[in-house]
Amino acid sequence: MTSPPPLCEFRSVCKWYGPVIGLNDVSLRIDAGITGLVGHNGAGKSTLIKLLTGQLRPSLGSVRIRGHRAWSSAAKRHIGYCPDLDAMYEEMSGRAFVEALARLHGYSRREARERTDCQLARVGMADRATRPLRTYSKGMRQRIKLAQALVHDPDLVVLDEPLNGVDPVGRTELLQLFRGLADQGKAVLVSSHILDEMDTLADQIVFVCRGRLIASGSLAEIRAMLDRFPLKIRVTAPDARRLAHALLPLELVRSVELASPDELVLEVERATEFFPHFNSIVARDGFDPERLEVLDASTEAVFEYLMRTVTHPW
């Protein structure tokens, strides 16, 4: 029995803008769940998204959605796109805008209206959708863009900075919505500069830098790959100063800071090797640590370390 084609697949993709390389030899699969796309401005995120949504064609390689070339109409039926920039008919109401796009997907007037009502309710805009788009706040515009991206029930939802301008309550609501889409088996790609949200939101994270894919996988998987990634650990213990003296001779310990009489902060290399040594010292010398907390195993910390590694490999 032949297995179905992957939802989204980049195969050795390069994109050039004249002499400028926008994306360089990227191979990537995006499956059901939430994928976070992380990179500084100019890293290649926008190029990747435009290739994925069929706005650009690769110079080399292929981008396929359900086996179809990404720029084909067959592929675009599977994609919902919420762009970062606004491109709206400002005199239209939010409802009319979403319904018009539903009609462009080929739905009858009645079905387009029903689908529009459903998605406006889903994004929290059902009671505000009759106002002209020009009167909307940034957060309201983001919700309308999200509604039009979902109106045709796509398998892949591409969200470019979807939380820009959204207030904290709305941010929580939309994050729950993204998780709900993933729980339904959809693939959700979220490009965002708010890295700390990726820690709890994303099932996998894609890091790009200078047009290259420098790492992909779950945060834990990427973290495990970085064998020499310095990790900061806070230890709370009654005799923190004596514990610090016992740990300093370890080659894996880069630094020890005594934050208070009962708290110290360690910076260690190769954490998987360090923890067994730590346990041995605690057991041997009779220390009684009350708490051990990893401080920087976050998306932002991993990303900054990756960036330093790429830009200064020595």
Side-chain angles (χ1 to χ4, degrees):
M1 185 176 179
T2 305
S3 59
L7 175 54
C8 170
E9 187 172 27
F10 284 68
R11 291 184 180 177
S12 303
V13 173
C14 298
K15 179 60 184 177
W16 305 313
Y17 304 97
V20 178
I21 299 176
L23 219 57
N24 190 1
D25 194 24
V26 169
S27 293
L28 173 69
R29 279 186 57 156
I30 299 175
D31 295 306
I34 299 177
T35 299
L37 177 60
V38 177
H40 289 317
N41 290 337
K45 299 194 306 296
S46 294
T47 297
L48 189 149
I49 286 175
K50 288 179 179 179
L51 289 164
L52 177 60
T53 54
Q55 300 175 70
L56 294 175
R57 298 190 184 193
S59 304
L60 288 176
S62 66
V63 183
R64 292 190 175 268
I65 310 295
R66 293 292 191 206
H68 305 289
R69 292 177 298 182
W71 60 86
S72 68
S73 58
K76 291 179 181 179
R77 283 196 290 268
H78 297 283
I79 303 171
Y81 178 42
C82 179
D84 179 23
L85 299 177
D86 292 350
M88 298 175 170
Y89 298 100
E90 299 293 334
E91 298 306 315
M92 294 178 73
S93 69
R95 180 182 300 280
F97 179 74
V98 176
E99 188 173 334
L101 290 172
R103 291 281 284 156
L104 289 174
H105 280 289
Y107 297 112
S108 66
R109 189 177 303 278
R110 177 179 178 180
E111 187 170 3
R113 187 180 305 115
E114 291 173 351
R115 285 176 171 269
T116 297
D117 289 342
C118 178
Q119 297 308 325
L120 288 174
R122 192 177 202 175
V123 301
M125 285 294 293
D127 59 343
R128 297 175 285 179
T130 57
R131 290 169 46 184
L133 287 166
R134 59 180 166 76
T135 69
Y136 283 6
S137 67
K138 178 64 174 176
M140 294 168 68
R141 297 167 79 91
Q142 292 288 71
R143 290 173 184 263
I144 288 295
K145 288 191 295 183
L146 183 57
Q148 64 78 28
L150 299 175
V151 75
H152 59 298
D153 194 26
D155 299 323
L156 170 64
V157 184
V158 181
L159 308 173
D160 192 357
E161 300 288 353
L163 302 176
N164 274 359
V166 181
D167 61 69
V169 173
R171 190 182 299 272
T172 300
E173 293 173 352
L174 292 185
L175 291 175
Q176 291 173 348
L177 172 57
F178 302 158
R179 174 47 57 191
L181 291 170
D183 291 344
Q184 293 174 14
K186 298 186 184 300
V188 183
L189 178 73
V190 182
S191 173
S192 178
H193 66 281
I194 307 173
L195 299 183
D196 56 353
E197 288 175 341
M198 295 294 180
D199 296 340
T200 55
L201 177 65
D203 301 306
Q204 73 164 341
I205 299 173
V206 174
F207 292 92
V208 291
C209 176
R210 296 182 178 178
R212 287 187 174 273
L213 175 66
I214 56 175
S216 66
S218 71
L219 186 59
E221 289 170 342
I222 296 171
R223 186 67 176 76
M225 288 164 46
L226 303 174
D227 191 39
R228 296 189 65 83
F229 176 37
L231 186 70
K232 287 189 177 181
I233 304 167
R234 178 187 291 126
V235 181
T236 303
D239 195 355
R241 184 180 295 275
R242 189 167 67 91
L243 178 57
H245 282 296
L247 293 172
L248 269 173
L250 290 177
E251 181 184 353
L252 300 175
V253 177
R254 296 178 55 163
S255 67
V256 179
E257 175 189 350
L258 191 65
S260 71
D262 60 354
E263 183 178 283
L264 54 89
V265 176
L266 308 172
E267 186 175 48
V268 305
E269 295 178 351
R270 306 198 302 276
T272 53
E273 295 179 33
F274 164 76
F275 286 116
H277 288 291
F278 176 83
N279 292 338
S280 297
I281 290 173
V282 166
R284 182 195 68 199
D285 296 343
F287 292 106
D288 187 21
E290 298 170 355
R291 186 179 181 187
L292 187 147
E293 178 185 5
V294 176
L295 297 180
D296 61 356
S298 65
T299 308
E300 186 159 9
V302 173
F303 179 62
E304 291 303 324
Y305 180 75
L306 285 169
M307 293 299 296
R308 291 198 302 271
T309 302
V310 170
T311 55
H312 302 288
W314 59 86

